[in-house]
Amino acid sequence: MRKSLRTALATAAAGALTGGLLVVAAGPAAAASGLEGDFNGDGFQDVAVSAPRASVGGHTAAGSVTVLYGSPTGAGAAKIQTLSQNSTGVPGGAEAGDGFGSHTTAGDFNGDGYADLAVGAPGEDVGSDTDGGTAVILWGGSAGLSGGTTVSDPAAGSHDSFGAPLAAGDYNGDGRDDLAIGSDQNTIDIYRGGFTKSGSTGGHYKVTTPVLKVKGNDIFNLTPGDVNSDGRTDLLVDGYEGETSGDYYFNANYYLPGSSSGVTASGAHKLPAGIISDIGDIDNDGYGDIVIGNHWDASSDSAGAAKGGAVQVVWGTSTGPNGGTGTLEQNSSGIPGTSETGDAFGWELSLGDINGDGYDDLAIGSPGEDLNGIADAGMVSVLYGSTSGFQGGAAQSLAQDTTGVPGDNEKNDGFGGELLLTDATGDGKADLAVGLPGENNSDGYVVAFASDGSKISTSGRGIGLTAAKVSASGTPLFGSQMAD
């Protein structure tokens, strides 16, 4: 996508049917990182939902994180917990513009058997450093998340927005979860596993990524997963490429492999454009396949863009993401809907095995989808994985006018603005959480769906600000970011 620096952040926020099979590419196609968030160790995956612009204690856009704890009846059915920087034991205090929860990632950082949650507050003022940013770890335990510890910024004052983005993974394969933290530079700080509640870690190193250094917004997203199946988490870094001077740059993703010493830029591999991505094993061959959402319209100058948006699929191999690529669009046979300008197909993506067949399935958000004359009501498409790609004939379409889904299609709701596939019911099959950050004038809303064993059941549970105990003041954007 060709964008000037003045508009880039605002904008950021080939299929063929063969025997009922939607084939996007051929070739050997690892499992995702597996860092799922069972914060209380009860065997059910929990869902952390952010409201990064929520008011806390009267402080506008201070931000909060709500945990929808998993249970046999789904995420948020039995227990909901909301945490902010005003919560007991959480470092710091809620302040206007902190954006606590703007980025989150789950991992067992201290090795106690409970998943923990790393939370970024990129707008946090650090001393006299305005918007220097911070990251904290909220600790898991038998009662859920409780207390927290600040992750020390090794270069406070040399950058802003520390804590945006975050990604947990075992980058050196030593069996301990590491934490990668971005800022407004083109470098990533990586902390080795071995975290303690007193603030120590197993070590720290810095990686300079191939993305273009443009102070203010260098790295948009980090996506962890084991593409080459070597037991070490690899990292997908999204940012700019282009000239070192001038007003215009292009979006690009770069694959950085894990190694015995951790993430390395040696062997970096450029991949298609698109801010949101995920890694999982679509064709069950043991290698991680990459999906990248290129939600921009074809007129955006983004390589690979299509009318209404597209999803690029990059197949993994033992040598990395070298197994070929393919493109999914709403005009591809077997995919619900029709490609229309502004649909934002691929704005959000999540991979998970919904039917338990060993093949990861794909949920795709199109929050800009107009339905029955209602602008930007939003829609989610669910495609099912197989040996050769996605099964077009089995695809599902979900929206708020689907029977069983709470609420109604309304202008600017943006159903599908955030997605997460994770096993909240503990049956070994992925369930789906859908965020509607635009619901009720940007209050936000989440709908939790469960797998019925073969597909996503359309009977959803709605969770809004009241259930989450999040203030309705301002524009909370509840449901705009999720992590398990």
Side-chain angles (χ1 to χ4, degrees):
M1 177 187 63
R2 196 175 190 212
K3 284 290 175 185
S4 75
L5 296 181
R6 295 182 293 275
T7 61
L9 285 183
T11 303
L17 192 66
T18 306
L21 195 64
L22 188 66
V23 180
V24 293
S33 60
L35 301 174
E36 296 178 307
D38 183 3
F39 303 120
N40 57 0
D42 63 356
F44 302 95
Q45 302 304 316
D46 310 313
V47 178
V49 180
S50 295
R53 293 190 59 79
S55 291
V56 177
H59 301 288
T60 303
S64 64
V65 175
T66 298
V67 181
L68 310 179
Y69 285 91
S71 72
T73 50
K79 180 181 178 180
I80 297 176
Q81 175 191 27
T82 293
L83 295 161
S84 72
Q85 286 184 290
N86 277 0
S87 297
T88 301
V90 176
E95 299 168 318
D98 281 351
F100 183 79
S102 294
H103 297 266
T104 58
T105 188
D108 183 5
F109 298 115
N110 60 356
D112 65 354
Y114 297 96
D116 313 303
L117 186 69
V119 181
E124 174 92 5
D125 294 344
V126 181
S128 61
D129 184 10
T130 302
D131 297 336
T134 191
V136 303
I137 295 176
L138 305 180
W139 300 107
S142 59
L145 293 180
S146 177
T149 301
T150 298
V151 181
S152 178
D153 183 347
S158 67
H159 53 224
D160 286 332
S161 302
F162 185 73
L166 305 169
D170 183 5
Y171 300 113
N172 59 359
D174 66 354
R176 302 189 297 179
D177 288 342
D178 312 315
L179 179 60
I181 304 180
S183 66
D184 66 348
Q185 301 292 305
N186 68 337
T187 57
I188 303 169
D189 288 288
I190 299 182
Y191 298 78
R192 299 186 189 278
F195 294 80
T196 68
K197 293 185 179 181
S198 63
S200 62
T201 73
H204 165 267
Y205 61 101
K206 188 181 290 286
V207 177
T208 300
T209 73
V211 304
L212 188 65
K213 185 175 183 179
V214 183
K215 182 172 174 56
N217 49 313
D218 289 357
I219 296 174
F220 297 143
N221 198 21
L222 298 172
T223 303
D226 188 0
V227 174
N228 57 10
S229 194
D230 65 352
R232 306 179 181 108
T233 304
D234 308 312
L235 192 62
L236 197 65
V237 180
D238 178 73
Y240 282 124
E241 64 164 344
E243 302 171 356
T244 56
S245 63
D247 286 335
Y248 291 94
Y249 309 101
F250 297 85
N251 182 262
N253 284 282
Y254 292 90
Y255 163 81
L256 275 58
S259 72
S260 59
S261 58
V263 173
T264 174
S266 176
H269 187 108
K270 182 184 170 185
L271 297 174
I275 292 176
I276 299 299
S277 55
D278 203 358
I279 300 173
D281 192 356
I282 298 166
D283 58 359
N284 195 22
D285 69 348
Y287 300 107
D289 309 309
I290 300 171
V291 290
I292 301 172
N294 192 328
H295 70 271
W296 302 292
D297 286 296
S299 60
S300 70
D301 290 337
S302 171
K307 182 178 181 180
V311 174
Q312 308 294 330
V313 181
V314 183
W315 297 106
T317 73
S318 61
T319 57
N322 302 310
T325 62
T327 302
L328 302 170
E329 304 172 19
Q330 281 187 291
N331 279 349
S332 300
S333 298
I335 295 183
T338 302
S339 296
E340 300 164 318
T341 300
D343 282 348
F345 180 78
W347 176 276
E348 186 57 49
L349 303 168
S350 188
L351 285 163
D353 187 358
I354 295 168
N355 52 15
D357 63 356
Y359 301 90
D360 271 353
D361 310 309
L362 174 64
I364 305 171
S366 306
E369 184 81 26
D370 297 347
L371 297 172
N372 300 319
I374 301 172
D376 300 339
M379 185 178 83
V380 173
S381 303
V382 182
L383 309 181
Y384 289 85
S386 74
T387 302
S388 303
F390 291 106
Q391 302 176 54
Q396 287 182 269
S397 174
L398 300 169
Q400 281 191 290
D401 62 358
T402 302
T403 301
V405 178
D408 298 295
N409 289 339
E410 296 172 319
K411 184 178 180 180
N412 297 328
D413 276 356
F415 185 85
E418 175 66 326
L419 299 171
L420 182 65
L421 283 168
T422 191
D423 183 14
T425 57
D427 63 356
K429 297 171 184 177
D431 310 301
L432 175 66
V434 177
L436 296 80
E439 177 88 11
N440 294 333
N441 296 315
S442 298
D443 280 354
Y445 194 66
V446 171
V447 180
F449 299 91
S451 168
D452 68 6
S454 61
K455 62 183 185 303
I456 294 295
S457 169
T458 58
S459 294
R461 174 184 298 104
I463 299 106
L465 299 186
T466 300
K469 297 181 180 179
V470 172
S471 171
S473 177
T475 56
L477 295 178
F478 179 69
S480 59
Q481 205 276 340
M482 288 191 264
D484 65 346

